């Protein structure tokens, strides 16, 4: 059976119309922004009068994390970013798929950047003794340490400790808010945490403090003490040493800020003090010979190199990652509406480190 020219033209026109409608929808939902691994995002906010700081939301994720990424984005957009439209930066050690990019773009009206992590900043360095590193992974696995045998987890910890803030997509920004897949924010935020950090002269903000697993950092504090002896000029007056050591610096008490939530000034990580510190630690090989995490590395640096008044506890931000959460009390919530229960906060059951 033959199909007339008019019928074929109608079918083609209908298909093109549907494709055009889909494209227009994506543009509108995406805020007429550019999405790429390079270049500057374009933001169109007609009639917007909300002031934004030089800041961004950062997610380190893989394509397989898409469901968790969408959940976290939807949650934070609802609680905060739908009003401020801070840009999102996604980083991955592999290229993001078109599916990942397309679905992420539909979750926000803010600019979105997708970036590839340079191989040399992610993979285990060639100078690491692989036999020694493999022995460490085997030992920690035998001890049932979480991620004990994971090379990719160690790559991530090293990248977050020393490299993420150097990524080309982040050079235009000063402050960042670290977001993880599958996290929850329980409270509506009636103010801009970035603006608060700047106006209050804060450098590092956190919500949860925990104890590190001792088996993963057996020589970390010895390296830190060696660094403090060699570079005393970097130790701040009125620092927060008592947060990370209960005996005046003789030992590490395992306290750290849980770094899956951070609102911080990247210029601190880019400073001479921190860069020297990271390079000193990196040369020890502890990211691979043990399992040094970015949380204790960030926490020790912030506690030693910053005056304690520049560390801020965001007690009003309800937050959950894995089985740990912080739920503000009615006084702590600053009048914001929260969907969590105070009795279920981590502080009710576990010893908390208090800076």
């Amino acid at each position: 059976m033959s199909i007339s020219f008019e019928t074929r033209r109608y079918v083609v026109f209908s298909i093109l119309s549907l494709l055009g409608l889909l494209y227009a929808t994506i543009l509108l939902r995406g805020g007429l922004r550019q999405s790429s691994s390079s270049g500057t995002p374009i933001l169109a906010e007609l009639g917007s009068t909300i002031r934004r700081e030089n800041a961004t939301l950062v997610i380190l994720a893989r394509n397989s994390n898409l469901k968790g990424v969408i959940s976290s984005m939807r949650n934070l957009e609802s609680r905060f970013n739908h009003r401020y439209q801070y840009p999102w930066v996604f980083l991955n050690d592999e290229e993001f798929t078109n599916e990942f990019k397309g679905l992420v773009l539909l979750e926000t009206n803010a600019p979105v950047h997708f970036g590839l992590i340079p191989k040399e900043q992610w993979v285990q360095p060639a100078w690491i003794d692989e036999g020694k590193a493999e022995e460490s992974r085997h030992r920690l696995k035998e001890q049932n340490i979480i991620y004990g045998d994971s090379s990719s987890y160690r790559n991530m910890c090293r990248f977050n400790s020393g490299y993420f803030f150097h990524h080309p997509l982040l050079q235009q920004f000063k402050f960042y808010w670290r977001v993880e897949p599958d996290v929850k924010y329980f409270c509506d935020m009636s103010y801009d945490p970035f603006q608060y950090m700047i106006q209050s002269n804060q450098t590092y903000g956190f919500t949860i403090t925990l104890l590190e697993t001792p088996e993963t950092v057996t020589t970390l504090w010895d390296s830190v003490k060696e660094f403090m002896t060699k570079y005393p000029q970097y130790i701040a007056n009125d620092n927060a040493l008592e947060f990370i050591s209960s005996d005046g610096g003789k030992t590490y008490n395992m306290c750290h800020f849980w770094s899956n939530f951070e609102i911080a000034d990247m210029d601190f990580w880019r400073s001479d003090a921190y860069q020297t510190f990271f390079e000193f630690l990196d040369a020890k090989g502890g990211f691979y010979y043990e399992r040094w995490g970015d949380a204790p590395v960030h926490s020790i640096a912030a506690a030693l190199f910053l005056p304690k008044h520049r560390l801020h506890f965001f007690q009003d931000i309800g937050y959950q990652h894995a089985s740990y959460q912080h739920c503000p009390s009615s006084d702590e919530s600053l009048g914001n509406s929260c969907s969590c229960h105070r009795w279920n906060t981590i502080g009710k059951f576990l010893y908390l480190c208090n800076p």
Side-chain angles (χ1 to χ4, degrees):
M1 182 180 67
S2 62
I3 302 176
S4 69
F5 173 78
E6 290 296 324
T7 300
R8 290 198 301 270
R9 186 173 69 173
Y10 176 78
V11 171
V12 171
F13 178 79
S14 299
I15 293 174
L16 290 176
S17 297
L18 288 172
L19 290 175
L21 178 61
L22 177 61
Y23 178 71
T25 301
I26 292 175
L27 282 180
L28 289 174
R29 289 294 305 273
L32 300 177
R33 66 203 180 284
Q34 176 180 339
S35 167
S36 66
S37 59
S38 62
T40 303
I42 302 171
L43 174 64
E45 285 188 292
L46 301 179
S48 174
T49 59
I50 293 179
R51 171 187 169 186
R52 281 184 303 278
E53 304 297 341
N54 182 15
T56 186
L57 310 173
V58 179
I59 294 188
L60 179 62
R62 288 190 164 139
N63 292 302
S64 58
N65 298 135
L66 178 58
K67 184 178 179 180
V69 165
I70 294 300
S71 176
S72 296
M73 284 187 71
R74 193 168 292 173
N75 192 256
L76 189 54
E77 285 286 329
S78 173
R79 294 294 190 181
F80 167 70
N81 202 45
H82 71 284
R83 289 185 292 115
Y84 290 91
Q85 295 189 24
Y86 276 104
W88 291 85
V89 172
F90 290 85
L91 301 178
N92 191 351
D93 65 310
E94 299 178 350
E95 291 284 358
F96 284 109
T97 64
N98 289 333
E99 177 191 21
F100 188 102
K101 293 178 181 179
L103 293 177
V104 160
L105 289 172
L106 294 175
E107 293 300 323
T108 180
N109 289 323
V112 179
H113 286 213
F114 299 99
L116 181 65
I117 297 170
K119 184 177 180 181
E120 62 273 13
Q121 294 181 1
W122 184 261
V123 300
Q124 179 176 300
W127 53 264
I128 289 291
D129 182 338
E130 171 54 23
K132 185 177 178 180
E134 183 180 13
E135 181 183 346
S136 170
R137 296 194 298 270
H138 177 74
R139 182 179 66 255
L140 292 182
K141 180 181 180 181
E142 290 295 307
Q143 295 173 319
N144 293 317
I145 303 299
I146 187 172
Y147 306 120
D149 63 338
S150 173
S151 295
S152 62
Y153 185 82
R154 288 167 168 81
N155 291 338
M156 179 200 69
C157 290
R158 182 171 178 262
F159 175 75
N160 278 331
S161 294
Y163 294 108
F164 84 91
F165 44 88
H166 289 314
H167 194 281
L169 291 180
L170 292 173
Q171 295 313 295
Q172 62 183 302
F173 301 111
K174 179 176 173 63
F175 279 82
Y176 73 102
W177 182 331
R178 178 171 162 179
V179 182
E180 295 281 328
D182 289 306
V183 298
K184 294 180 181 178
Y185 298 89
F186 295 116
C187 306
D188 295 332
M189 301 175 206
S190 59
Y191 71 101
D192 182 353
F194 292 123
Q195 191 174 94
Y196 173 83
M197 294 286 286
I198 293 169
Q199 292 178 349
S200 303
N201 192 29
Q202 304 292 308
T203 300
Y204 187 88
F206 62 95
T207 58
I208 292 176
T209 56
L210 288 177
L211 295 174
E212 184 57 290
T213 304
E215 292 83 357
T216 66
V217 290
T218 54
T219 66
L220 176 58
W221 192 248
D222 288 337
S223 298
V224 171
K225 288 195 293 183
E226 185 181 347
F227 178 87
M228 288 191 288
T229 299
K230 188 174 182 179
Y231 298 100
Q233 68 271 28
Y234 293 137
I235 310 303
N237 294 325
D238 192 30
N239 59 58
L241 176 64
E242 68 273 16
F243 170 61
I244 53 177
S245 177
S246 303
D247 53 14
K250 294 179 182 179
T251 61
Y252 178 36
N253 62 13
M254 302 296 150
C255 286
H256 65 274
F257 308 117
W258 214 24
S259 61
N260 48 72
F261 175 100
E262 292 179 325
I263 298 178
D265 184 347
M266 283 185 284
D267 286 347
F268 175 64
W269 309 131
R270 297 164 180 154
S271 69
D272 289 339
Y274 185 78
Q275 286 294 283
T276 304
F277 181 64
F278 170 73
E279 291 169 6
F280 184 88
L281 293 183
D282 194 34
K284 299 292 185 180
F287 290 104
Y288 296 97
Y289 298 147
E290 296 175 23
R291 203 218 63 190
W292 294 355
D294 54 277
V297 171
H298 279 189
S299 301
I300 291 170
L304 292 178
F305 307 152
L306 291 170
K308 64 180 66 175
H309 67 267
R310 294 178 66 178
L311 305 173
H312 179 67
F313 171 33
F314 278 104
Q315 61 183 5
D316 56 302
I317 295 181
Y319 174 75
Q320 181 181 29
H321 180 77
S323 59
Y324 302 108
Q325 74 174 48
H326 166 68
C327 185
S329 66
S330 56
D331 291 335
E332 291 173 337
S333 67
L334 303 180
N336 294 326
S337 174
C338 299
S339 61
C340 56
H341 299 285
R342 177 62 179 168
W343 59 265
N344 198 29
T345 198
I346 182 175
K348 290 292 183 181
F349 307 106
L350 296 177
Y351 167 76
L352 284 182
C353 304
N354 296 308

